[in-house]
């Protein structure tokens, strides 16, 4: 069969016209990543004198408290506006009581970072799993169903932890535990103590994901027994994310989060349609590790693959992206295409 000429009697749509040159492509580009939409996660370890590399997350470290002021400067110099802090304590117990000490690693890091770079937005992860001896995100109770994570008994402990972060100067506290009612409990505790301006970024739709594996090495927070499926969301559920988001908004969340990111772009897009609050997506440790591993083998172009992944997250509707690639991506964006 000979190829048919395009019928000249009607105009033919030619989307390729606007892809001809780099300037045309830039002009019609719908989403452009900005360094100041990135949030950089950092691990602070009270026990360390020297930074310790995290093997499943090449390029990321557990940091000693004394390194944090310098980290604040490094992040700000990269043009990234915010950090999200995680703590590794000296001692753990069943309640996770190291999590709310005024002299804890995270609390010291907040003060050091705000002193060094006052305009840096300091966010803190609020959860018990790094501080409990059993590694669960809440306290345990024994009952007719065996040992379970106790929802309501956990709430005051989370509120206490969040309050200790606010007292140290955190701008935003980010509960990641997935207990029901924790946003409300934290909001009330902050308000009662006069911290009405401390914002809450809620890990609203946080899935029970295999992609947190490398993080659990970084935060030494793997549960000793069982898993997190009785409190984190089932990866098979999309609609349920909307309900989690509604509840967190009703309880006073200022920023909503979906986590992980690239496998949950449908969830991000659905939440975006319904919610006017700023929306964050967490590009998690496993998403980072996959890109790193493939790049190290020369199987993927790290820069292009990473910027494509982050652009996809923004296109799906995220305003903010929490990513271990924050500083690299900021440098790549500065260097241009
Ligand atoms: C703590 C917490 C986790 C992550 C953030 N906060 C781990 C988990 O829920 O097991 C994962 C972050 C990542 O994988 O980068 N609850």
């Amino acid at each position: 069969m000979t190829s048919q000429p395009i019928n000249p009697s009607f105009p033919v749509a030619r989307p390729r016209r606007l892809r001809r040159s780099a300037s045309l492509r830039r002009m019609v580009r719908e989403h452009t990543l900005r360094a100041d939409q990135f949030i950089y996660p950092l691990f602070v370890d009270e026990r360390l004198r020297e930074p310790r590399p995290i093997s499943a997350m090449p390029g990321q470290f557990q940091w000693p408290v004394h390194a944090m002021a310098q980290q604040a400067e490094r992040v700000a110099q990269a043009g990234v506006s915010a950090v999200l802090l995680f703590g590794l304590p000296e001692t753990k117990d069943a309640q996770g009581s190291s999590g709310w000490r005024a002299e804890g690693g995270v609390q010291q890091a907040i003060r050091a970072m705000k002193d060094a770079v006052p305009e840096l937005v300091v966010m803190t992860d609020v959860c018990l799993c790094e501080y409990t001896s059993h590694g669960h995100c809440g306290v345990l109770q024994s009952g007719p169903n065996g040992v379970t994570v106790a929802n309501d008994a956990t709430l005051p402990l989370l509120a206490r932890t969040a309050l200790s972060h606010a007292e140290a100067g955190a701008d935003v506290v980010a509960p990641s535990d997935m207990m029901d009612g924790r946003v409300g409990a934290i909001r009330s505790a902050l308000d009662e103590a006069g911290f009405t301006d401390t914002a809450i970024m809620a890990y609203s739709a946080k899935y029970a994901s295999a992609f947190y594996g490398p993080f659990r090495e970084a935060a030494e927070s793997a549960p000793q027994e069982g898993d997190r499926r009785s409190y984190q969301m089932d990866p098979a559920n999309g609609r349920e994310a909307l309900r989690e988001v509604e509840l967190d908004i009703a309880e006073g969340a200022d920023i909503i989060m979906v986590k992980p990111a690239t496998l949950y772009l449908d969830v991000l897009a659905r939440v975006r349609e319904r919610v006017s609050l700023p929306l964050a997506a967490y590009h998690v440790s496993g998403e980072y590790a996959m890109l790193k591993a493939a790049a190290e083998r020369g199987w993927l172009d790290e820069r292009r693959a990473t910027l494509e992944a982050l652009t996809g997250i923004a296109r799906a509707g995220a305003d903010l992206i929490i990513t271990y690639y924050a500083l690299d991506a900021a440098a790549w964006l500065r260097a241009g295409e």
Side-chain angles (χ1 to χ4, degrees):
M1 220 178 102
T2 53
S3 65
Q4 297 292 311
I6 290 172
N7 182 345
S9 66
F10 60 88
V12 177
R14 292 187 185 274
R16 286 188 53 195
R17 280 180 194 128
L18 300 181
R19 296 180 199 144
R20 279 172 49 235
S21 70
S23 12
L24 278 167
R25 289 193 293 273
R26 263 199 307 278
M27 200 176 76
V28 298
R29 185 159 295 149
E30 297 174 33
H31 296 277
T32 304
L33 291 169
R34 292 172 292 113
D36 54 13
Q37 73 191 136
F38 299 145
I39 300 169
Y40 187 52
L42 283 167
F43 301 95
V44 192
D45 190 328
E46 285 171 26
R47 302 159 302 179
L48 293 181
R49 300 296 314 148
E50 299 295 327
R52 198 164 90 194
I54 301 163
S55 61
M57 300 174 70
Q60 305 303 314
F61 296 82
Q62 295 166 329
W63 297 99
V65 174
H66 69 74
M68 298 315 287
Q70 211 185 337
Q71 287 306 303
E73 278 153 19
R74 177 177 162 236
V75 173
Q77 263 159 27
V80 171
S81 335
V83 292
L84 177 62
L85 301 181
F86 295 89
L88 289 88
E90 180 125 34
T91 56
K92 303 191 182 200
D93 61 24
Q95 308 282 305
S97 62
S98 292
W100 56 80
R101 280 177 308 131
E103 289 309 313
V106 166
Q107 290 81 354
Q108 290 185 59
I110 298 165
R111 290 192 291 266
M113 297 178 93
K114 291 299 286 186
D115 274 352
V117 185
E119 69 276 15
L120 183 74
V121 176
V122 174
M123 304 182 155
T124 57
D125 186 86
V126 175
C127 195
L128 300 188
C129 65
E130 295 118 63
Y131 302 95
T132 50
S133 40
H134 45 75
H136 277 289
C137 301
V139 291
L140 301 182
Q141 67 185 0
S142 319
N145 303 320
V147 178
T148 53
V149 173
N151 193 87
D152 295 10
T154 300
L155 300 182
L157 308 185
L158 293 167
R160 225 167 141 174
T161 305
L163 186 55
S164 76
H165 295 171
E167 282 165 351
D171 299 291
V172 181
V173 293
S176 67
D177 52 282
M178 288 302 276
M179 299 302 122
D180 294 329
R182 86 269 206 231
V183 172
I186 290 172
R187 186 70 271 159
S188 308
L190 291 174
D191 289 353
E192 275 163 32
F195 292 97
T196 49
D197 288 339
T198 306
I200 299 178
M201 174 168 73
Y203 284 72
S204 302
K206 176 175 175 180
Y207 286 88
S209 172
F211 290 85
Y212 308 152
F215 172 94
R216 292 184 190 165
E217 178 207 328
E220 296 170 19
S221 66
Q224 305 262 300
E225 264 176 73
D227 55 40
R228 305 207 199 288
R229 280 184 282 194
S230 76
Y231 41 103
Q232 299 181 348
M233 285 181 59
D234 185 336
N237 293 358
R239 282 193 311 269
E240 190 188 349
L242 304 176
R243 176 154 169 72
E244 285 282 6
V245 166
E246 276 166 22
L247 291 170
D248 285 352
I249 294 174
E251 290 175 32
D254 301 285
I255 302 173
I256 294 300
M257 192 205 299
V258 172
K259 173 187 174 192
T262 44
L263 296 154
Y264 296 84
L265 296 182
D266 59 320
V267 177
L268 263 174
R270 286 165 82 175
V271 171
R272 174 75 297 161
E273 272 175 22
R274 284 168 179 76
V275 163
S276 60
L277 290 178
L279 178 58
Y282 200 142
H283 187 243
V284 300
S285 57
E287 300 177 272
Y288 176 81
M290 284 196 297
L291 286 165
K292 277 283 171 195
E296 274 176 11
R297 292 176 179 215
W299 291 350
L300 282 179
D301 175 331
E302 183 174 25
R303 180 180 159 285
R304 286 195 56 205
T306 301
L307 291 177
E308 184 176 330
L310 299 177
T311 301
I313 295 166
R315 191 192 60 240
D319 303 300
L320 305 170
I321 306 176
I322 302 155
T323 174
Y324 304 96
Y325 268 116
L327 304 195
D328 293 330
W332 291 328
L333 294 176
R334 238 193 344 267
E337 265 186 61

